[in-house]
């Protein structure tokens, strides 16, 4: 008799609580189930179950062996489900959290394209830049920009971006162009985000030294659209990831400033909980975003 079959029978007996209930669950005779467990005990050279007329109880060896059986059976079921899933169209739900800056810069269009390509996958998109507890909040993927700190999560690099300083031609014409980072203290700077760190803009000097410049301005918002609109209307100078205003820079509506002082590129990443069995639909979305964003 195959050892895996004997292990499965033993696990069912333990979970059912009796040979009779296990036989009904397996569609076998009670005597055959009992014989399988006896064969397993003979093969192992150890008593796994104590049998009485009223109940079954596990021996110490039986308890240890049952834990192994559960893991092996679960892994076998996962392998079976994964292969069966790969033969059909991906389906199910995905909860993904995305910073608003990525939403307004075009990731929303990528997610819509994904929905067209995989209509059986239900997306729940949460526009948020805060750091969530992915497991506690049932989130499958979190897109993040910048340095990652949570080592309890797995991550995959999707693309790179650079934090840039921009302003409209009309603002520059009226107020002049800063020639070094320190000049920003004399300008009206539009603040994207509401934490203190958003008012300390980082730069790298020609010597290689990293500095931050504390800026101020008359518009602060965690709404990236509002901040970009303020720049476009000549209200002030903005700072943010390149994807946030790439379209406007390409069209000439905004100009890059202080380009020789930019920090090294940072990473756009997909974070997901540590799991041995990442659902296929989640892997497909991560692959989709990696391909589109890197292009």
């Amino acid at each position: 008799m195959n050892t895996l079959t004997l292990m499965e029978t033993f696990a069912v007996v333990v979970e059912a609580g009796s040979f009779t209930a296990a036989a009904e669950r397996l569609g076998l005779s009670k005597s055959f189930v009992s014989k399988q467990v006896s064969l397993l005990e003979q093969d192992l050279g150890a008593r796994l179950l104590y049998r009485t007329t009223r109940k079954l109880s596990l021996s110490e060896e039986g308890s240890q062996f049952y834990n192994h059986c559960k893991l092996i059976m679960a892994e076998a079921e996962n392998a079976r489900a994964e292969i069966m899933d790969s033969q059909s169209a991906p389906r199910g739900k995905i909860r993904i959290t995305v910073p608003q800056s990525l939403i307004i810069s075009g990731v929303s269009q990528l997610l819509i394209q994904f929905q067209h390509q995989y209509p059986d996958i239900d997306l729940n998109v949460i526009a948020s830049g805060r750091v969530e507890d992915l497991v506690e909040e049932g989130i499958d993927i979190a897109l993040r920009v910048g340095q990652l700190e949570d080592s309890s999560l797995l991550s995959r690099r999707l693309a790179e971006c650079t934090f840039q300083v921009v302003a409209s031609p009309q603002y520059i014409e009226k107020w002049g162009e800063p020639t070094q980072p320190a000049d920003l203290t004399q300008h009206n700077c539009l603040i994207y985000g509401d934490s203190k760190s958003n008012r300390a803009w980082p730069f790298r000097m020609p010597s290689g030294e990293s500095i931050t410049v504390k800026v101020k301005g008359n518009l602060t918002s965690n709404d990236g659209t509002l901040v970009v609109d303020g720049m476009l209307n000549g209200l002030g100078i903005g700072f943010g990831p390149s994807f946030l205003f790439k379209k406007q820079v390409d069209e000439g509506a905004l100009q890059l400033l202080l380009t020789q002082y930019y920090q090294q590129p940072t990473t756009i990443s997909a974070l997901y909980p540590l799991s041995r069995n990442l659902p296929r639909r989640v892997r497909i979305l991560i692959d989709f975003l990696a391909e589109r964003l890197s292009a």
Side-chain angles (χ1 to χ4, degrees), residues 2 82 140 190 292:
N2 185 286
E82 185 173 316
D140 298 294
L190 311 186
R292 300 303 194 282

Side-chain angles (χ1 to χ4, degrees), residues 90-282:
R91 63 181 63 247
K93 296 181 179 180
I94 299 177
R95 279 171 59 84
I96 177 172
T97 175
V98 185
Q100 193 205 33
S101 58
L102 280 172
I103 289 287
I104 66 176
S105 67
V107 167
S108 58
Q109 293 302 313
L110 294 183
L111 294 175
I112 290 171
Q113 292 174 25
F114 181 83
Q115 291 272 238
H116 279 300
Q117 190 167 337
Y118 300 99
D120 292 329
I121 294 179
D122 298 333
L123 285 183
N124 182 351
V125 182
I126 304 161
S128 170
R130 70 185 181 88
V131 179
E132 297 90 350
D133 185 321
L134 269 59
V135 175
E136 183 176 325
E137 299 192 30
I139 294 171
D140 298 294
I141 309 173
L143 299 191
R144 290 292 174 265
V145 180
Q147 184 177 358
L148 306 177
E149 298 180 356
D150 192 341
S151 59
S152 68
L153 301 173
L154 296 178
S155 67
R156 177 173 172 184
R157 176 190 172 280
L158 301 178
E160 287 188 343
C161 70
T162 303
F163 278 76
Q164 301 172 329
V165 182
V166 297
S168 67
Q170 56 266 43
Y171 177 89
I172 295 171
E173 182 179 355
K174 183 176 182 179
W175 299 102
E177 178 178 347
T179 59
Q180 58 183 340
D183 293 344
L184 291 170
T185 60
Q186 306 303 314
H187 285 269
N188 189 48
C189 295
L190 311 186
I191 313 300
Y192 175 44
D194 52 9
S195 70
K196 290 183 179 180
S197 62
N198 297 117
R199 295 171 175 80
W201 293 359
F203 297 95
R204 186 180 62 175
M205 303 301 288
S207 63
E209 177 189 5
S210 292
I211 66 167
T212 58
V213 176
K214 293 183 178 179
V215 299
K216 60 183 184 297
N218 59 11
L219 176 63
T220 299
S221 177
N222 62 357
D223 184 338
T225 303
L226 177 59
V227 174
V228 172
D229 284 345
M231 298 179 214
L232 292 171
N233 284 277
L235 187 60
I237 295 176
F239 176 84
S242 51
F243 56 77
L244 183 60
F245 28 68
K246 181 180 185 304
K247 180 176 180 291
Q248 292 83 354
V249 169
D250 289 344
E251 294 173 348
L254 293 175
Q255 294 181 206
L256 298 178
L257 308 175
L258 302 172
T259 56
Q260 68 271 38
Y261 296 100
Y262 291 164
Q263 292 276 5
Q264 292 291 337
T266 191
T267 302
I268 303 172
S269 304
L271 278 66
Y272 47 97
L274 179 61
S275 171
R276 295 179 62 189
N277 299 295
L278 190 66
R280 176 172 168 245
R281 61 185 178 275
V282 175

